[in-house]
Amino acid sequence: MAVAAILLSASSACSAGSTTTAGAAAQAALAALPRATPTVLATYYDQKPNWHSCQVPGFQCATLKAPLDYAKPADGDVRLAVARKKATGPGKRLGSLLVNPGGPGGSAIDYLQAYAGIGYPARVRARYDMVAVDPRGVARSEPVTCLSGRDMDTYTQTDSTPDDQRETTQLVDAYRKFAEGCGADSPKLLRHVSTVETARDMDIVRAALGDTKLNYVGASYGTFLGATYAGLFPDRAGRLVLDGAMDPSLPARRLNLDQTAGFETAFQSFAKDCVRRRDCPLGAKGTTTAEVGRNLKAFFRKLDRHPIPSGDADDRSLGEALATAGVIAAMYDDGSWEQLREALTAAMKGNDGAGLLALSDTYYDRDAGGGYTNLMFANAAVNCLDLPAAFDTPDEVRGALPAFEKASPVFGEGLAWASLNCAYWPVRATGEPHRIEAKGAAPIVVVGTTRDPATPYRWARALAAQLSSARLLTYEGDGHTAYGRGSACIDSAINTYLLRGTPPANGKRCS
């Protein structure tokens, strides 16, 4: 899986919320919608997709409509891009299987065409039409746009660990410019890209596909989307797999703090592996993980003072901000650790920042021509609407720095300052922390990885405890998400559930 495709949030695009503990709002559970479809939405639910060939052979595409504002359907529509790859057989068709790679902001259609539609187990693809819909505001579904490629280059290089008032002002100005760009481009849509609205869109897609139940595999943020669907439409929830789960009951500051600790956990695993290898630039055999962290932090500080060349065609040098993003990108997948060692060696010993810059570009979804997908724009747009801002002022960030740096001596400072981005958002948040129970839903499989950097394992346990029909499936290992990452135990349990409807025993553990 591509790293950026399953991004939740990190150095430049964190989730948003204002307190460190779940408040009174989080004590309420998401309420299910009435079973009967409202008359004013009938035309949306009666749509039939007009399938046509996509640019990618073997896939079909269509466009559906959803109301921009479900409270005021007459105010206009939003266009939703949908793609599918029909079941290949043999065996009885089981309906559609929607997939979402997370983000928020990841293109589900790209994920389907590049991975799920060709890389999911053949037995699953034989029985299901594999389907993806880009969420509203994402990729092909009326994408939110905030900055040009050149301006995005400037944004990603902004010092995210300000040392003085001048650098703090520069960071705040960068967040303001980013937010103002989003507001100028999509003033109406920006108010209606919440997870609740996207979940309601998925029910329109379900109806258009002719399915009585929604079958779904969601990764990372996609678990929040899938759980939200189950909470709103428990009677229509079919076989749902929520892999790399989020906890919807937490406000953003707590989410960000937990995620900071998650990246530290992943980094410690990388550090232990690194020092056992001859090519580790951060320490020799016997070096403690704390020392490895201090060595990396010292390198970041050096880059903060003196960026190094990268050979980039657009003359970008490697400073602390881009280097940090590159390291974080490699934390998502332990298969990237070798690449990270090589990139760090080149940068630390050869004064060559090309490798870390390449990793950073995967994180931000930047192509070789200097263009960016709208991943980061949609990420902020959804997060800043779903929850109130984590911090309102730089002073609040400074007050929280000790907690973030305790959670991660390496990444804590940068991730704390990254949590300030929603403070300047042009649209007020419409969501609050809440539990999701989905009473009456069929069994839902919640998957957690014990050393997941982006969605800490505790979130999977929390979501499984909230969902009334959840079965918690645990992968004891590294990396972000578990399905399709090499564990035969995990894959077998999920495939059995998708094909037979038999969930794993609650609490099943795999390694």
Side-chain angles (χ1 to χ4, degrees):
M1 299 182 193
V3 169
I6 52 175
L7 191 76
L8 170 66
S9 62
S11 66
S12 72
C14 285
S15 303
S18 60
T19 57
T20 54
T21 58
Q27 302 308 310
L30 182 67
L33 292 171
R35 292 191 178 190
T37 301
T39 303
V40 293
L41 298 180
T43 56
Y44 297 104
Y45 274 82
D46 291 340
Q47 294 176 91
K48 302 298 179 186
N50 180 20
W51 296 108
H52 56 85
S53 296
C54 298
Q55 293 180 339
V56 180
F59 293 86
Q60 296 176 309
C61 291
T63 301
L64 297 173
K65 293 182 179 180
L68 176 67
D69 184 350
Y70 277 91
K72 300 177 181 178
D75 282 2
D77 300 330
V78 59
R79 296 182 301 277
L80 303 174
V82 186
R84 76 173 178 182
K85 186 175 185 184
K86 298 193 71 174
T88 57
K92 181 181 178 182
R93 182 180 173 276
L94 295 174
S96 305
L97 180 64
L98 268 71
V99 295
N100 183 282
S107 170
I109 292 177
D110 285 351
Y111 177 75
L112 175 74
Q113 294 176 341
Y115 176 69
I118 56 177
Y120 266 36
R123 291 183 299 149
V124 174
R125 291 183 285 114
R127 306 286 298 281
Y128 284 101
D129 288 348
M130 300 294 294
V131 178
V133 53
D134 280 347
R136 53 173 64 201
V138 174
R140 299 165 182 80
S141 295
E142 302 194 21
V144 172
T145 302
C146 305
L147 298 176
S148 67
R150 186 175 296 275
D151 286 341
M152 191 65 181
D153 278 349
T154 300
Y155 177 79
T156 59
Q157 294 176 79
T158 303
D159 190 344
S160 56
T161 56
D163 299 317
D164 52 33
Q165 186 56 50
R166 180 183 64 83
E167 291 184 350
T168 300
T169 299
Q170 289 176 342
L171 182 60
V172 168
D173 287 347
Y175 287 149
R176 288 187 189 277
K177 184 175 182 178
F178 185 99
E180 289 168 359
C182 296
D185 178 76
S186 310
K188 291 184 179 179
L189 182 61
L190 216 59
R191 292 175 169 80
H192 298 288
V193 291
S194 70
T195 297
V196 166
E197 288 163 312
T198 295
R200 297 191 68 172
D201 293 346
M202 287 206 304
D203 199 52
I204 289 175
V205 173
R206 173 203 56 78
L209 294 171
D211 293 327
T212 57
K213 302 272 189 179
L214 180 84
N215 302 309
Y216 174 85
V217 177
S220 196
Y221 162 80
T223 67
F224 181 32
L225 179 57
T228 299
Y229 181 90
L232 294 173
F233 306 103
D235 58 309
R236 299 173 194 170
R239 299 171 188 179
L240 270 60
V241 177
L242 309 180
D243 184 11
M246 289 183 63
D247 179 358
S249 73
L250 298 179
R253 193 182 303 184
R254 174 61 185 275
L255 284 170
N256 292 345
L257 190 60
D258 282 358
Q259 192 177 66
T260 298
F263 279 108
E264 181 65 22
T265 297
F267 176 74
Q268 289 179 7
S269 290
F270 164 75
K272 291 175 183 176
D273 179 80
C274 187
V275 298
R276 290 197 294 262
R277 302 177 185 274
R278 292 181 178 180
D279 63 344
C280 180
L282 295 170
K285 186 176 181 180
T287 306
T288 67
T289 56
E291 290 172 327
V292 171
R294 287 193 291 270
N295 291 340
L296 181 59
K297 188 69 174 177
F299 176 61
F300 286 160
R301 291 195 189 99
K302 180 180 178 181
L303 291 177
D304 189 27
R305 297 188 300 271
H306 304 290
I308 62 176
S310 68
D312 177 56
D314 294 309
D315 202 30
R316 291 177 299 160
S317 57
L318 183 78
E320 180 185 19
L322 290 175
T324 302
V327 174
I328 283 176
M331 293 300 100
Y332 281 82
D333 182 1
D334 54 345
S336 299
W337 289 358
E338 180 179 1
Q339 182 182 0
L340 177 58
R341 290 197 310 274
E342 292 173 352
L344 284 169
T345 298
M348 297 175 73
K349 298 183 179 181
N351 205 44
D352 179 2
L356 282 174
L357 184 65
L359 282 168
S360 175
D361 285 348
T362 66
Y363 177 84
Y364 287 112
D365 228 4
R366 183 191 192 272
D367 62 34
Y372 291 79
T373 69
N374 91 311
L375 171 64
M376 287 296 170
F377 309 144
N379 186 283
V382 175
N383 283 333
C384 295
L385 197 62
D386 274 351
L387 291 171
F391 299 108
D392 293 324
T393 67
D395 284 343
E396 289 185 5
V397 177
R398 293 188 187 97
L401 282 176
F404 275 78
E405 290 180 313
K406 180 179 179 181
S408 175
V410 177
F411 305 116
E413 183 182 7
L415 293 180
W417 282 105
S419 306
L420 184 63
N421 70 322
C422 288
Y424 310 102
W425 205 244
V427 177
R428 290 181 62 86
T430 57
E432 292 282 352
H434 56 267
R435 293 178 297 111
I436 300 179
E437 298 175 354
K439 292 181 179 178
I444 298 171
V445 176
V446 176
V447 188
T449 298
T450 55
R451 294 185 295 279
D452 190 314
T455 50
Y457 180 62
R458 68 173 67 181
W459 292 358
R461 289 187 299 179
L463 180 61
Q466 292 169 43
L467 292 168
S468 61
S469 62
R471 304 291 190 273
L472 177 61
L473 176 62
T474 297
Y475 173 56
E476 297 177 348
D478 298 294
H480 184 40
T481 72
Y483 186 43
R485 288 176 49 85
S487 169
C489 174
I490 290 288
D491 292 354
S492 176
I494 292 176
N495 293 340
T496 298
Y497 170 66
L498 291 174
L499 294 171
R500 301 178 187 173
T502 305
N506 189 38
K508 179 178 177 64
R509 301 182 76 89
C510 297
S511 59

